[in-house]
Amino acid sequence: MSGTVVHLHKEPTLEPEPEAGPVTELTVVPDPPAAPPVPLWVRSGRTVRTALTHENTRTAARAMARHSLYLAGGARIVARRTWDGRTAARYERMLRAAEAAGNHEAAAEWEERGQRYREARHRRRMDLLHSPLDAAKGVGISAGMGVGGLVLLGVAMAVATKDPGEVVTPLMAVVRFIDLMVTIVRVVWGPAITIGPFLALLALWSVGAHQHAAPQWALPPNARSGEGEPITPSIVVKALRDLGVPALRKAITEMGDAGASMLSPITIAGCGVEVDVTLPSGVSTNEVQGRRRKLAENLSRHEHEVFVTIPQAARTVRLWIADSGALDEPIGPSPLTTDDALTANYKTGKAPWGQDLRGDAAAISLYQRHLLVTGLSNQGKTAALRALALWAALDKTVEFRIADLKGAGDWAMFDGIATVLIQGPADEQVIEATEMVEGLVEEMNRRIETRRTNPDAVFTPLIGLVDEAQVAFMCPAVDDDKRPYGGSKATSRYFMAVRKVHNQGRVVDVLMWEGTQDPTDQNLPKLVREGAHTRASLALGTESQAVMALGEKAVNGGAAPHLLRQGLDKGTLVVASDGIEIPKGQTSITVRTHFINDTDAKAITDRAKALRDGVTTLHGIDRGEDRDPLADIAGVVGTDARVRTQEIITRLAGLNPQAYGGWSFIDLKRVLDGTGAEPYKSDGVMVISRDRLTRALADRDDTGSASAV
């Protein structure tokens, strides 16, 4: 049965009847009611809507609107050109532009030019009053001379041919030529009258199409995007006009095309161009600076491809506009990896860090400058900080004490260069890092005391480096006296040690370098971040973080690390420092740093180790109270044949600040007196011999004598 469902139901019985089979019944279940048909007008409406919203329909509509607007725009452009050519409107616009820019000399010059143009136009009009009479006289004279000449020509022909009829032959030839011209005009005039308007419309359309005289939505995709379009004065003026600043738009509108007078010459600057814009009265620089994204879009660029800074000139903004896609291209390798003979000079040299936006090499002086590098996680902070340390390591006088609180091996290649190398994120490593920084304080105090007694004393640079410093500031551990290692209170050990180094360490070449991520007031206290002379920031999340990283002055001057693209602008730093060359009037500079991978870093540190006699690296701070000074002295001497006494004192302070932080030469001599390893002079300086120390330890072990601190 078509369209039905057949169900078999068993008939229930009161008594069992085994002989009879079960009785079944056929039940017919009707089909569910069919949905009502869709009305024709609904189907038609859907079809019409689909047709109207189809991409082909939209493309055709845009094409029709575009070509119609090309015609109207072309007519407007031609009319304006004609008006400018026949009147003094051009001079008036230039005069208003000069007045708006405050350039009174240029305004007076344009006023004078306009006056000369009007005088010349007046003379031409007066000449037109006399031109009909002069033209009639000229035509009469020319016609008489022409007829006379033709008659003389005919007489000459008649004499030559002895035929009097040749006298009128030249005149008749001219008459026939005129008749031919009239015939041609009669034939061409009708079609010209018909086709002429269409040719005029075509010319207007061509002008409009060439100038893209249509709204952006109507232009084809290739013309609408403008990506890669060269930056011209008119493009910059239009971008500023459409920025959404009423006073700026009004001023530019009154200037007309002469708004370009606001611009300095557009110069090539690296992988982009640079131009200074003198804003009209009533427009502040921060109104333009705060609309960076819209300005970039008006220039057919991405936001990260336009930088707005404030130069020294008043009421001026400096625009650096990258070539489209240029900032996504990598820069070249670091000179540290390409020049094996490159060395460093901490005092007079500059570390090659990367390139600025102009494409020029960006080098920074590290001399007596505390350093802070911050940014979001995985943006290249450690690589940027390590690049500076690798350069400084090529100066054999520089001593490093490093605490890597990430512990991922990023600083492992400094084993054999740094006198202290702590690696790990646990509280134990934070405690060791804190005591390492406190050792810097002890060495700083010792140097200050030495300078007090000997003003001419010169010290070797000592750099304490803590990577992932936010781990130290957030550490909850406390010491036996209940003083916290982390935090930013007056009792916080790490915080106070860093502050002391910031306050006085620079003058005796004891420096503090820190790398931290995602700065807040908790993991990067205000006093610490403001104690750094060189502050650099990679991509950040908010403007408030940018202020923390670089300072309010730098951000107000155009520094914008919060506008860098996370993940795409890795290694790009905004730097505020007097150690790097910054364009005059600016407060910061953007640097694309060289990336040095672990393999190249290892090769550089191998070269640095070859410059040194041999450095014993301590992988922790021993905090035990019972010390064996003689064994510790032998330990810090390491494999060196002999070491200066001052260097040994510095290494001992790094080994254990509590035990040796206050040591002087007298303490060292006291321990070594009578051991056979006493200090002696070599090349004019006091040194200690490794071999003598070895014999002294052996002799002491034989006698069982030892002293403790």
Side-chain angles (χ1 to χ4, degrees):
M1 183 179 297
S2 178
T4 61
V5 180
V6 179
H7 296 277
L8 297 178
H9 295 279
K10 185 175 180 181
E11 183 68 22
T13 57
L14 297 177
E15 297 180 0
E17 296 179 4
E19 295 80 11
V23 178
T24 61
E25 180 182 353
L26 294 177
T27 303
V28 179
V29 179
D31 291 337
V38 179
L40 178 61
W41 65 271
V42 174
R43 294 199 300 271
S44 301
R46 291 175 180 172
T47 303
V48 171
R49 185 179 63 181
T50 302
L52 292 176
T53 58
H54 195 274
E55 185 59 31
N56 292 340
T57 306
R58 293 181 177 179
T59 303
R62 280 196 297 267
M64 293 176 61
R66 177 169 64 250
H67 294 294
S68 301
L69 292 168
Y70 279 168
L71 183 61
R76 176 177 54 81
I77 294 171
V78 170
R80 184 161 189 169
R81 290 175 179 174
T82 304
W83 177 259
D84 286 346
R86 303 291 296 176
T87 67
R90 178 183 292 108
Y91 301 97
E92 291 294 335
R93 285 201 307 273
M94 298 298 290
L95 173 61
R96 290 196 300 270
E99 289 177 343
N103 192 341
H104 300 293
E105 293 181 0
E109 181 180 353
W110 283 112
E111 185 177 13
E112 183 181 354
R113 290 185 182 182
Q115 187 63 31
R116 289 201 300 266
Y117 171 81
R118 293 185 183 92
E119 292 175 356
R121 183 180 61 184
H122 177 71
R123 286 195 299 270
R124 290 194 301 270
R125 289 176 177 175
M126 294 304 294
D127 291 341
L128 289 176
L129 297 176
H130 305 285
S131 60
L133 181 59
D134 295 338
K137 291 180 180 179
V139 170
I141 294 172
S142 299
M145 294 178 62
V147 171
L150 292 174
V151 171
L152 290 175
L153 179 61
V155 171
M157 293 176 61
V159 172
T161 60
K162 298 180 180 181
D163 183 3
E166 294 291 337
V167 174
V168 296
T169 298
L171 290 173
M172 295 306 297
V174 173
V175 171
R176 285 193 294 270
F177 176 75
I178 294 174
D179 182 65
L180 176 62
M181 293 296 100
V182 171
T183 302
I184 292 174
V185 170
R186 285 177 179 175
V187 173
V188 174
W189 184 255
I193 291 297
T194 305
I195 299 174
F198 293 100
L199 294 177
L201 292 175
L202 181 61
L204 295 176
W205 175 90
S206 177
V207 172
H210 180 72
Q211 297 291 333
H212 296 300
Q216 288 290 316
W217 60 265
L219 294 176
N222 57 345
R224 187 165 59 245
S225 66
E227 187 169 348
E229 186 178 5
I231 298 300
T232 62
S234 61
I235 288 177
V236 177
V237 171
K238 290 178 182 178
L240 294 169
R241 183 194 64 193
D242 300 335
L243 199 56
V245 181
L248 181 59
R249 181 178 183 86
K250 181 180 178 181
I252 293 176
T253 302
E254 291 176 354
M255 296 177 195
D257 290 340
S261 62
M262 299 189 304
L263 310 182
S264 69
I266 298 177
T267 58
I268 297 177
C271 57
V273 296
E274 189 174 76
V275 59
D276 284 355
V277 181
T278 302
L279 300 175
S281 178
V283 181
S284 64
T285 55
N286 62 352
E287 288 182 286
V288 176
Q289 196 175 27
R291 291 172 169 82
R292 174 181 168 184
R293 174 175 294 181
K294 189 170 185 179
L295 177 61
E297 292 171 350
N298 291 347
L299 293 167
S300 301
R301 295 294 190 271
H302 297 290
E303 184 178 13
H304 71 278
E305 294 175 329
V306 175
F307 288 81
V308 184
T309 55
I310 310 299
Q312 192 173 17
R315 216 172 68 227
T316 303
V317 293
R318 178 168 295 160
L319 306 181
W320 185 86
I321 307 162
D323 298 335
S324 185
L327 294 183
D328 295 328
E329 298 294 329
I331 64 173
S334 170
L336 295 175
T337 63
T338 58
D339 186 359
D340 292 340
L342 182 67
T343 58
N345 188 307
Y346 159 78
K347 186 174 182 179
T348 61
K350 289 189 174 183
W353 212 2
Q355 293 180 0
D356 62 17
L357 295 179
R358 292 171 170 267
D360 299 330
I364 185 168
S365 171
L366 307 177
Y367 178 63
Q368 292 188 344
R369 289 178 177 87
H370 303 304
L371 175 65
L372 172 65
V373 179
T374 187
L376 297 178
S377 177
N378 195 31
Q379 298 303 302
K381 168 180 52 61
T382 297
L385 189 61
R386 190 174 68 180
L388 298 180
L390 288 170
W391 177 82
L394 294 175
D395 183 343
K396 63 180 181 180
T397 65
V398 177
E399 178 189 352
F400 283 99
R401 299 181 188 179
I402 299 174
D404 175 15
L405 299 183
K406 183 193 299 181
D410 294 329
W411 297 90
M413 67 286 301
F414 279 80
D415 193 350
I417 296 178
T419 54
V420 176
L421 179 59
I422 300 165
Q423 300 181 88
D427 290 349
E428 178 68 20
Q429 282 76 45
V430 172
I431 294 172
E432 292 178 341
T434 301
E435 295 181 347
M436 180 193 81
V437 179
E438 291 174 341
L440 296 178
V441 176
E442 295 291 341
E443 173 63 16
M444 176 190 72
N445 291 335
R446 186 195 64 77
R447 293 185 178 191
I448 292 174
E449 185 64 29
T450 302
R451 179 71 59 81
R452 188 175 302 165
T453 57
N454 181 12
D456 297 329
V458 178
F459 305 105
T460 58
L462 171 60
I463 298 176
L465 192 155
V466 179
D467 195 10
E468 305 295 343
Q470 76 279 357
V471 177
F473 285 112
M474 301 301 291
C475 179
V478 295
D479 62 13
D480 295 337
D481 297 328
K482 305 301 181 182
R483 292 182 59 199
Y485 288 94
S488 57
K489 297 180 179 180
T491 57
S492 301
R493 291 180 58 177
Y494 179 81
F495 168 74
M496 291 305 298
V498 172
R499 286 291 299 133
K500 290 176 181 177
V501 175
H502 280 175
N503 288 339
Q504 296 176 299
R506 182 188 65 84
V507 294
V508 289
D509 289 299
V510 177
L511 305 179
M512 191 72 208
W513 291 7
E514 289 182 290
T516 183
Q517 69 180 28
D518 200 12
T520 65
D521 284 328
Q522 289 71 39
N523 63 24
L524 187 60
K526 185 177 189 299
L527 293 177
V528 169
R529 58 183 186 250
E530 291 186 352
H533 303 99
T534 296
R535 300 166 72 172
S537 176
L538 296 115
L540 290 172
T542 64
E543 184 175 350
S544 62
Q545 287 185 316
V547 172
M548 292 182 189
L550 300 176
E552 190 170 357
K553 180 180 179 181
V555 174
N556 290 340
H562 56 289
L563 297 181
L564 295 174
R565 301 167 298 167
Q566 183 177 1
L568 297 177
D569 289 326
K570 283 187 175 182
T572 299
L573 284 165
V574 182
V575 184
S577 171
D578 62 349
I580 192 170
E581 185 176 354
I582 297 177
K584 191 174 182 180
Q586 296 182 204
T587 57
S588 65
I589 187 172
T590 301
V591 177
R592 304 173 68 197
T593 59
H594 296 296
F595 175 72
I596 303 176
N597 60 37
D598 290 347
T599 302
D600 291 336
K602 181 67 167 57
I604 296 169
T605 53
D606 288 342
R607 286 158 44 199
K609 292 172 186 177
L611 298 174
R612 289 165 164 79
D613 295 331
V615 175
T616 301
T617 298
L618 305 177
H619 294 278
I621 304 296
D622 190 349
R623 298 182 301 279
E625 294 184 358
D626 294 332
R627 306 295 309 176
D628 185 347
L630 189 61
D632 286 344
I633 293 171
V636 297
V637 168
T639 59
D640 297 341
R642 56 182 178 270
V643 181
R644 293 181 302 167
T645 55
Q646 189 57 54
E647 178 66 21
I648 290 177
I649 293 172
T650 300
R651 294 181 184 181
L652 288 172
L655 174 65
N656 191 306
Q658 294 179 348
Y660 303 114
W663 267 36
S664 65
F665 175 76
I666 296 175
D667 299 305
L668 183 64
K669 187 174 181 299
R670 172 179 55 81
V671 172
L672 296 178
D673 281 346
T675 64
E678 294 84 353
Y680 64 96
K681 272 194 175 183
S682 175
D683 296 329
V685 295
M686 298 298 292
V687 299
I688 294 175
S689 169
R690 180 193 60 194
D691 294 338
R692 294 183 182 182
L693 279 172
T694 303
R695 287 196 297 272
L697 283 172
D699 294 342
R700 187 194 65 176
D701 292 339
D702 291 340
T703 60
S705 62
S707 61
V709 177

